Amino acid sequence: MTRPARPARRGATALLAVLAGTAIADNYTLQPALAVVAADLDVPLSAISLVPSAALAGSMTGFALLLPLADRVAPARLVAAHFAALAAGLVLAATATDAAVLIAAHLIIGAAASVAAQASVIAGRLAPPGRRGAAVALVATGLSAGILLSRLVGGALTDLVGWRAMLLVCAGVALLCSGTAAALLPRERPGARDSYRAALAALPRLPVRVARLRHSVVTGGLWYLAFTLLWVGLALYLARPPHSLDSTAIGLFGLAGVLGFAVLPFTGRLVDRHGPRTVMTAAVAVAACGVLVIAVAPDSVVGIAVGLAVFDAGCFVAQAANQSLVIGIDPANSGSLSGAYMVLYFAVGALGTALAGPLVDGIGMRGTTLVALASLIAAALLARVPERAPLPSYE
């Protein structure tokens, strides 16, 4: 093995944050344009709403099969390969002639975008003692920026050049990221204690065997259900009368998440000082307040924007704290632990995207926000339940 002379740990973590945000963005760029895509392909909106569900399902597959590789493959090779696959999926999506091909392409996109979670694992492993929370929070900042800007950029580019050209631009960016990762990320191979095959075999049992992981899965899944349900529901709701917003206008609501982006750099220090459980509880309570604002005024554009700002901030902070907890259970096998966590986390999120359309049609936007609010309240209560085993050390 050859230890790379560069980059320094701080530089590697910052690069991982940028790469994570770029990758995760491709799961969301098409969401503001769902109505446009449905019209272009001449399919019902309810059918095209399966596209974000497919991206999440692909991500779950990537978490299960690919995240354990973060414990076994050099970051430079692993991240570069993921971005190359991401570019291929985006090209397939851009050339799709029917909904089935577009959905299949987003399965590939979602699987390759799981590199965003690998970035958190790698950053946590590179972090010096007592700084894991800060490192994971920095990557989470990149993730939140990607999610934040994805809808804005995706919507604007769709209106400017069309949704197909927008996806091709994303494919070009993914290829650039692949080359950058290959050139700049560490080439040292991590030393996992077991084989990749053994890690895959053990993956389904991890949530059963590890109490702290099980607690993180259930708690995180509840707030991610609320997150996907609210965002996809709003994308569909705002495209209809009385709002009838275009893709760019819907994408602009992504800017509401700037508050979450602003507070994330402080999250790591709070996690390292107070522990992830305390931070999670407070963050989910904040997110619930944001959803309550939207529930009270679902027809107010200003109310939706304010509610989303508070909601996104709470969800982003809670996720950063939860990932720090999962990585800290066993840093040497954090890829496998994170894989088990993210598979189940995104499984619940995929349920939220699938339910969004029927719920908006059946009970309206206010009813949909109340379902999201109930999920967040349950998550906040669960986050305060004492665990049987002590929380991992962050020193």
Side-chain angles (χ1 to χ4, degrees):
M1 283 187 298
T2 302
R3 291 181 180 272
R6 58 172 185 166
R9 277 180 170 173
R10 179 173 297 178
T13 304
L15 176 59
L16 287 166
V18 173
L19 294 174
T22 303
I24 201 67
D26 291 316
N27 273 354
Y28 301 95
T29 49
L30 205 59
Q31 284 189 13
L34 290 177
V36 174
V37 175
D40 188 36
L41 297 180
D42 194 24
V43 297
L45 194 59
S46 58
I48 215 67
S49 68
L50 293 175
V51 167
S53 295
L56 289 177
S59 293
M60 290 160 48
T61 303
F63 297 144
L65 300 180
L66 304 175
L67 251 177
L69 293 173
D71 299 329
R72 293 160 180 84
V73 180
R77 291 179 54 197
L78 183 65
V79 176
H82 273 72
F83 272 103
L86 183 58
L90 288 163
V91 170
L92 178 62
T95 57
T97 56
D98 56 50
V101 175
L102 188 64
I103 290 169
H106 275 78
L107 287 170
I108 298 172
I109 291 168
S114 67
V115 70
Q118 291 176 340
S120 293
V121 171
I122 296 167
R125 185 179 294 122
L126 291 176
R131 295 286 297 167
R132 181 178 296 118
V136 173
L138 179 59
V139 176
T141 302
L143 280 166
S144 68
I147 296 171
L148 166 67
L149 296 175
S150 61
R151 296 180 179 90
L152 173 61
V153 173
L157 281 177
T158 295
D159 287 339
L160 184 65
V161 299
W163 65 272
R164 295 182 187 275
M166 179 270 291
L167 291 174
L168 290 176
V169 170
C170 292
V173 173
L175 286 176
L176 178 62
C177 288
S178 179
T180 302
L184 299 180
L185 285 180
R187 295 180 176 86
E188 182 179 5
R189 183 176 175 233
R193 292 190 294 266
D194 54 2
S195 67
Y196 173 68
R197 190 173 186 178
L200 289 184
L203 202 65
R205 299 192 299 270
L206 284 176
V208 178
R209 291 173 43 228
V210 185
R212 287 192 292 260
L213 177 62
R214 189 165 58 249
H215 182 271
S216 292
V217 164
V218 178
T219 308
L222 284 168
W223 74 60
Y224 195 51
L225 171 66
F227 184 88
T228 55
L229 183 62
L230 192 63
W231 268 108
V232 176
L234 281 171
L236 298 173
Y237 171 71
L238 292 171
R240 303 173 178 178
H243 298 292
S244 301
L245 300 181
D246 60 23
S247 299
T248 299
I250 295 173
L252 282 171
F253 278 91
L255 289 177
V258 73
L259 180 60
F261 178 75
V263 301
L264 267 174
F266 305 101
T267 302
R269 292 195 290 272
L270 291 174
V271 170
D272 290 329
R273 182 178 303 172
H274 301 291
R277 193 152 56 99
T278 299
V279 175
M280 277 192 292
T281 304
V284 175
V286 168
C289 291
V291 176
L292 186 59
V293 171
I294 299 174
V296 170
D299 294 325
S300 168
V301 171
V302 174
I304 291 173
V306 171
L308 283 176
V310 178
F311 171 68
D312 279 11
C315 286
F316 289 153
V317 170
Q319 176 63 355
N322 213 12
Q323 284 185 301
S324 296
L325 191 155
V326 172
I327 292 171
I329 294 171
D330 182 4
N333 284 291
S334 53
S336 294
L337 289 164
S338 294
Y341 168 71
M342 295 300 287
V343 166
L344 297 174
Y345 178 81
F346 269 66
V348 181
L351 176 64
T353 62
L355 288 175
L359 282 177
V360 171
D361 287 339
I363 59 177
M365 196 61 225
R366 178 176 278 115
T368 303
T369 58
L370 290 177
V371 174
L373 180 62
S375 185
L376 288 170
I377 291 172
L381 293 174
L382 184 60
R384 294 305 302 162
V385 175
E387 299 180 40
R388 295 180 182 178
L391 288 172
S393 170
Y394 287 85
E395 296 300 317

